[in-house]
Amino acid sequence: MQALGLERDLVDESVYDNTVARFREARIALPTFSQLADPSRVPAKVREALAGVGPDDAHPLNLFRVNWYNDDSRRGFAAVPAHVVLPKALTGVDARIVVAFGNRFPMIGAHKVLAAYGCLVPRVITGQFDPTRHRAIWPSTGNYCRGGVAISRIMNCRGVAVLPEGMSRERFAWLEDWVADPSDIIRTPGTESNVKEIYDRCKELAKDPENVIFNQFSEFGNYIAHYLATGSALLNVYNSMREEEPGLRLRAFVSATGSAGTIAAGDYLKEQAGSLTVAVEALECATMLRNGFGEHNIQGIGDKHIPFIHNVMATDMVVAISDRATDRLGVLFNSDIGRTYLGGRQSVPPEAMDALQSMGLSSIANVLAAIKTAKYYDLGPDDVIVTVATDGAAMYGSERDLALAKYFAGGFDEVAAGEVFGEHLLGATTDHLLELSRKDRERIFNLGYFTWVEQQGMSIEEFRIRKDPRFWADLPSIVTDWDRMIEEFNGRTGALEAM
């Protein structure tokens, strides 16, 4: 399964030697996966050197900030990942809905930079990617390709973003500042829902041997990075809450599927705490829920296919959220009128109000799905649901302008704020939700055949093996080998010793 990034041994020694030489010259040191899961393992001299590096600088040391433990300043490390426990005044439910903030990650303000690192580094340390001649191709609907371009740049290689032309203007503005050449931004037809068009363009690019495609939907480095780093970070948040209230129970992890990287944390949490895994998708394109198709604007979650790295057989529930809800709540959360209404009329406390700016469109979808999950299972005040805010509101200013024009042509006032709050938060119901049976899981699993075997040329053996829970249980063991190889690689470059 070499094409899926699961090599444990050196593949090409000449490529490896070229990469060592490039990284030695540029003084690029690589953090291990264990260090990204637990930054307390980062060497003290690296921490000291980081003090002089801005979190958004194109500097190799920012690789050591690719974790959930950056503090609110994004310069230091916190003992517990930044998060908020949303109050009942906002959610309308007794259950504790906990949201971890992805906008504390460096360079792109989104946790997708972790996925990009998880995909590229295994190819570097196994001699499959040569930064002196290869181009890293990052297919995405936005944040992953930004993460890939950032990681590529600070690893002194060339990154190319492939994303739909209809994504938010803020995404393209960021890319324009970071790519080496304007031609390294490749726009494909459509919007969030047009993933196949991205695949088609990458198939063309792959004809050039100098291009290496890092497909987040099928690269297991994405799954493994989130399983270990995101899973352990969320467990740390939960355990920190239990120190104060020992009676709390972790009931569910909620995540939009997207590339199915983040939802890998659900496997970790299920093993460690027995929680359920809830997958979120857009109602306008309810692929898992009802084999549907269509278009939507919950940017960052993808659809119309089942990612190869999604452990479908371990998923417990599917919830669909409408982009009408996320678009309108994006306006409520980020307008002066909306925030005045929430803080005044609804008495939402300041800490929760401050947290709203850390939630982009897919983050709002995750929160709504968590509310629906709490209502479906009738969860109480001792029950905890954890989820993530992939990115913050900063990426969606232009989308809020579009939502204002679409939904509030007469203006957004306090009455409109109350209607949005009542309909989408307090009025959230358990419709468009399915608790998965064995047959439901098999149906969803089988949907992946059409993308991965018929379209992308995977073997039927590679496709079927993912139905076996033993396949997924064995995957994390690769981290031991990868970390050892990272340490050997760093020893060859001498980058850590040179600090």
Side-chain angles (χ1 to χ4, degrees), residues 411-430:
F412 186 75
D413 55 17
E414 186 175 16
V415 173
E419 291 174 349
V420 171
F421 178 78
E423 178 181 352
H424 301 304
L425 289 170
L426 294 189
T429 65
T430 57

Side-chain angles (χ1 to χ4, degrees), residues 59-185:
H59 194 290
L61 279 178
N62 266 326
L63 293 173
F64 288 87
R65 286 188 171 123
V66 180
N67 63 71
W68 286 95
Y69 289 83
N70 298 299
D71 61 19
D72 290 342
S73 73
R74 300 168 67 230
R75 288 182 172 272
F77 293 131
V80 178
H83 67 280
V84 65
V85 181
L86 296 178
K88 184 176 181 179
L90 187 66
T91 66
V93 297
D94 290 321
R96 319 288 183 92
I97 295 177
V98 183
V99 186
F101 298 144
N103 65 354
R104 272 48 169 188
F105 276 79
M107 298 172 290
I108 72 169
H111 76 45
K112 285 287 191 174
V113 71
L114 171 64
Y117 185 86
C119 293
L120 179 55
V121 166
R123 302 302 181 94
V124 167
I125 59 175
T126 56
Q128 297 179 83
F129 184 83
D130 186 343
T132 68
R133 62 183 180 89
H134 285 145
R135 295 197 309 168
I137 311 298
W138 303 98
S140 169
T141 54
N143 283 327
Y144 174 73
C145 69
R146 293 198 303 123
V149 166
I151 293 293
S152 299
R153 181 168 168 180
I154 62 178
M155 285 193 184
N156 209 6
C157 58
R158 190 167 176 181
V160 177
V162 183
L163 73 165
E165 61 188 354
M167 302 307 290
S168 72
R169 175 57 199 156
E170 289 80 4
R171 281 167 161 76
F172 286 105
W174 184 96
L175 286 168
E176 288 161 5
D177 286 340
W178 275 76
V179 294
D181 186 274
S183 65
D184 290 339
I185 304 173

Side-chain angles (χ1 to χ4, degrees), residues 68 111-112 115 222-228 230-231 234 252-270 275-281 288 306-312 314-319 366 386-388 390 436 472:
W68 286 95
H111 76 45
K112 285 287 191 174
N222 183 8
Y223 173 93
I224 291 164
H226 278 296
Y227 171 90
L228 181 63
T230 301
L234 295 175
F253 169 64
V254 174
S255 174
T257 47
S259 66
T262 307
I263 204 169
D267 288 355
Y268 183 94
L269 295 170
K270 186 186 293 285
S275 55
L276 300 173
T277 300
V278 179
V280 185
E281 63 181 358
M288 291 180 288
I306 307 301
F308 198 79
I309 63 170
H310 184 183
N311 186 5
V312 171
T315 303
D316 300 291
M317 179 181 285
V318 174
V319 179
N366 283 344
V386 294
T387 188
V388 300
T390 299
L436 299 181
W472 300 94

